Amino acid sequence: MIVRIMGEGQWTLADSHVVELSKLDDELLTEMEGGDVEGFRRTLRALLDAVRRLGEPLPDDALESSELILPAPDASLEEVREMLSDDGLIPG
């Protein structure tokens, strides 16, 4: 799977890592719904760190189609809310 972090680049992740990312996505959604800005920041950071840790970065000149697009680390709660589907940032 190809994941893009807005403003940073793309990473290739094995499909087996989707479970870990989905757990963080569920936490993020709960924090957003509850208006927990501090928790939202912490969990967004953890989600993006997991992509960086588990994935292999693609070269900057690679233009692959991203299956998943995640917000930039400094995205506001409102900006992330606009990116959400009913399932959160990660479908499924």
Side-chain angles (χ1 to χ4, degrees):
M1 150 187 330
I2 306 274
V3 178
R4 172 178 299 281
I5 297 176
M6 294 176 69
E8 286 191 28
Q10 293 179 300
W11 283 260
T12 301
L13 274 84
D15 290 341
S16 60
H17 296 302
V18 170
V19 172
E20 181 176 345
L21 298 180
S22 290
K23 288 178 186 177
L24 290 166
D25 184 47
D26 290 344
E27 281 182 47
L28 188 69
L29 189 57
T30 299
E31 291 158 351
M32 290 180 66
E33 289 172 348
D36 180 358
V37 176
E38 186 177 314
F40 160 77
R41 286 261 151 248
R42 182 182 57 248
T43 304
L44 177 59
R45 195 170 32 251
L47 177 60
L48 300 179
D49 286 346
V51 170
R52 294 180 196 111
R53 176 176 44 85
L54 298 169
E56 288 292 322
L58 291 178
D60 289 338
D61 60 350
L63 292 173
E64 300 292 328
S65 177
S66 301
E67 297 166 71
L68 181 60
I69 299 174
L70 298 176
D74 60 349
S76 70
L77 195 133
E78 292 77 27
E79 290 170 327
V80 175
R81 190 172 276 133
E82 290 175 10
M83 295 178 70
L84 291 174
S85 69
D86 290 339
D87 291 334
L89 292 170
I90 301 171

